[in-house]
Amino acid sequence: MRDCRMSAWSLFDYFKFLKKTKKDVAIAIVMGVIRGLSSGFGIPVILKYSSSILFGDQVVDGVVLTMLALLPMFVMFVRGVSGFLSSYYFSACGQHIVEELRMMIFQKIQRLHVGFFNDCPPSELISRSINASTIIQSNLVDISLDIITQPMALLGAIGYLIYLCVEESDLVILLLFLTALPLFIFPIRKIGQRLRRKSGQMQGRTAEIINRLNHNLAAIKEVRAFGLEKQEVGSYRRACHAFSDAFLKVIKYQLIVAPLVEIVSAVGVGFAMFYAYERGLKLEVFMSLAMALYFGYDAIKRLGDISNKIQTSIAAVDRIEAILNEPEKIVDPRNPVCVGKLRGDIAFRDVVFSYAKNREVLKKINIEMAHGRTYALVGASGAGKSTFVNMILRFYDPDQGSICIDDVDLREMAKADLRRNIGYVPQDPALINDTIFNNITWGKPGASEAEVIEASQKAYAHDFILQMESGYDTIIGESGNCLSGGQRQRLALARVFLRDSPILIFDEATSALDSESQQAIYRAIKNLANDKTIIMISHRFSMMSIVDEVLVFSHGRIVESGSHGNLLAGDTLYRKLYEKQQVIET
Ligand SMILES: Nc1ncnc2c1ncn2[C@@H]1O[C@H](COP(=O)(O)OP(=O)(O)O)[C@@H](O)[C@H]1O
Ligand SMILES: [Mg+2]
């Protein structure tokens, strides 16, 4: 997955999410305009008028004085309320965008093919969907505080300067103010570009921290057993340190804008003093001028900050877009062949497949598997058995050749239709942090209690479940850590038995069971068979006698096939494998 490079304008694409919250956007904008104008224009104006009255030559009566005293309160009230409403509604809009972004990433992850996750570590996806969207979220809140208000304050201040220039019939101040603008804009732009790059790097380092943590937690036992604690702490420290380095670079560029603007604006204020003295400006005019300059420069400073925040957000959006733009390789056909319940006749025709270029894992596989029969796949590890069954689930598409079920190419049916017809138990099944009951019904939501118990009995899980504290209502903890490997496998088997699909695939699904319960489960599977197609990957030869056909895999090919008896009778690879295991077991 490569990071994209997008322009600031493409951020506006995401504004499409705001269609549903048009009212919020409108309130936020109107309130922002009011707040901005009340600062940049309102404050200098009341300052000028109230001081000209207060410090003028005429006597001020009580009513006017009260009015004057109330005026700043009124302006501040308007400024405060409009500022609050504008920020609140902008934050609401920003939050809405982030929520939609998170959903887009998650939905995209559901659509991505299994192969994508081989190359992309989960930490990278977690960092991108949580961390990057959090960055965007907090930036959006900050940006929203200022995005309308500050340009308005700037315009208000410029408006007031124009007014002052007209009144004093002198353009010097305005010209001075305007000529200073490029002095700000150029460095702010340059800093923004740096910031974006550094921020992208910083986010990458966050992913590395998550990765180290994830890695360590997944290997708790290995770390203890091999005494790797120190080494792990060392590599975690390096990741944290690298993050701190990147973080400080980002902070440096973020913090540099404000002092830069302040220094340049001090020059402006200095000129204004010089000018006021030269032209003999009245105090109230000078004070309102200083206020207008203050609000003008302050607006520029904050706009510089917004520019920084926009750049860091773009770096985050780049990382999110990389996921969103990832091509979806295993897609549904435009007009899928409608398949209801499949019979389950599977055919591989000249199937060639490789994960990486030039390394074929399946080499011209040709095999027909008929419904109502049970098959066992045997062979050394790495021979291609799991890959073979993964192709039936269409986790991958063949590079050459085709795979058909009931004479329909898998690529011609909808993935959901295909997979609804298959019950699959991987070697290391995933359990959810929920009750045993819900773990079993994961494969068939809404199943009745009787169905669940029947499926558990077939999977030899019922007895151990009843022995647990709350039976079927026992919560089994994060990924079933408090269960034994065999218990976990039995729950996964029950889940599949409950589904009652015409094709059943067990990829070393009973490897953690003792041979007695393994035998019993295979008999249960066989009884279940009738008209199903059953494929089992196993290293136990003790169950081969109950399957109809054994397929022997070697280096990506099916080199032998036949019944257990026939294969044993000849001078076969199967017999060699069998004899080797007899030696090991005796
Ligand atoms: N996700 C993957 N990415 C790259 N290579 C893989 C992947 N999964 C398996 N392989 C390779 O494909 C070959 C066959 O693997 P597999 O089908 O899992 O074998 P088996 O199940 O027979 O032990 C092995 O050489 C393995 O290294
Ligand atoms: Mg395997």
Side-chain angles (χ1 to χ4, degrees), residues 40 53-54 60 81 106 157 164 170 194 221 245 271 293 382 444:
I53 294 171
L54 286 175
V60 187
V81 171
F106 195 76
L164 213 59
D170 195 340
R194 289 264 167 91
K221 286 183 190 152
D245 274 352
F271 266 110
L293 285 180
K444 188 182 174 187

Side-chain angles (χ1 to χ4, degrees), residues 134-423:
T134 308
I135 288 178
I136 297 172
Q137 178 180 21
S138 76
N139 279 348
L140 274 177
V141 172
D142 292 345
I143 292 170
S144 61
L145 298 179
D146 284 328
I147 190 84
I148 298 286
T149 310
Q150 298 308 330
M152 280 301 139
L154 183 59
L155 282 181
I158 293 177
Y160 183 72
L161 289 176
I162 293 175
Y163 162 80
L164 213 59
C165 289
V166 172
E167 207 175 49
E168 303 284 319
S169 34
D170 195 340
L171 278 175
V172 177
I173 296 188
L174 183 63
L175 287 178
L176 207 70
F177 184 80
L178 293 180
T179 45
L181 281 184
L183 279 181
F184 298 111
I185 291 166
F186 184 68
I188 288 177
R189 269 186 66 97
K190 270 274 164 251
I191 290 169
Q193 286 161 0
R194 289 264 167 91
L195 188 61
R196 177 168 164 187
R197 210 172 47 240
K198 298 289 173 201
S199 177
Q201 285 169 4
M202 181 185 85
Q203 293 171 41
R205 306 255 163 102
T206 316
E208 184 53 27
I209 293 185
I210 300 175
N211 190 20
R212 299 289 350 152
L213 196 58
N214 201 3
H215 190 78
N216 181 271
L217 294 175
I220 291 282
K221 286 183 190 152
E222 284 82 350
V223 170
R224 300 289 183 286
F226 292 107
L228 297 173
E229 293 90 342
K230 261 199 188 142
Q231 201 172 315
E232 285 288 295
V233 169
S235 62
Y236 191 66
R237 178 176 292 285
R238 279 192 294 282
C240 289
H241 196 74
F243 173 81
S244 302
D245 274 352
F247 176 76
L248 284 178
K249 284 194 185 113
V250 169
I251 284 294
K252 186 171 77 188
Y253 286 112
Q254 262 175 2
L255 293 182
I256 213 163
V257 169
L260 217 73
V261 175
E262 277 166 10
I263 292 167
V264 180
S265 38
V267 177
V269 173
F271 266 110
M273 283 180 173
F274 194 64
Y275 167 84
Y277 184 74
E278 279 286 299
R279 302 287 160 114
L281 282 193
K282 285 200 221 94
L283 177 68
E284 72 257 22
V285 178
F286 174 70
M287 275 176 41
S288 64
L289 169 67
M291 263 301 150
L293 285 180
Y294 167 77
F295 277 111
Y297 288 133
D298 187 60
I300 295 175
K301 190 171 83 184
R302 286 169 193 262
L303 285 173
D305 226 31
I306 294 184
S307 147
N308 283 349
K309 297 250 154 81
I310 290 178
Q311 294 302 336
T312 31
S313 304
I314 296 175
V317 172
D318 279 344
R319 290 166 56 75
I320 289 175
E321 292 250 310
I323 300 178
L324 297 179
N325 293 336
E326 186 67 33
E328 288 165 31
K329 288 195 183 140
I330 309 288
V331 287
D332 281 338
R334 196 165 288 185
N335 299 307
V337 175
C338 195
V339 291
K341 186 151 183 159
L342 291 165
R343 238 180 8 256
D345 295 328
I346 304 169
F348 275 60
R349 304 202 174 108
D350 294 325
V351 171
V352 176
F353 175 73
S354 51
Y355 292 101
K357 271 197 186 105
N358 305 325
R359 227 190 117 237
E360 286 176 1
V361 172
L362 297 183
K363 301 166 188 167
K364 280 231 168 195
I365 299 270
N366 276 293
I367 187 84
E368 309 246 338
M369 301 163 113
H371 73 283
R373 288 172 67 82
T374 43
Y375 297 84
L377 313 189
V378 298
S381 63
K385 306 177 297 292
S386 294
T387 307
F388 177 86
V389 293
N390 285 345
M391 309 275 310
I392 301 175
L393 282 145
R394 208 180 163 214
F395 288 161
Y396 304 94
D397 277 338
D399 300 336
Q400 291 168 38
S402 65
I403 304 167
C404 297
I405 300 184
D406 299 355
D407 277 327
V408 181
D409 192 306
L410 300 189
R411 286 166 292 199
E412 282 168 14
M413 42 178 117
K415 284 175 291 182
D417 287 345
L418 165 69
R419 292 170 188 166
R420 199 177 311 118
N421 279 285
I422 302 178

Side-chain angles (χ1 to χ4, degrees), residues 385-386 427 507-508:
K385 306 177 297 292
S386 294
Q427 183 170 2
D507 188 349
E508 303 192 33

Side-chain angles (χ1 to χ4, degrees), residues 75-91:
V75 173
M76 282 305 174
F77 177 78
V78 171
R79 200 171 164 258
V81 171
S82 57
F84 168 80
L85 289 174
S86 159
S87 304
Y88 179 80
Y89 280 101
F90 266 126
S91 303

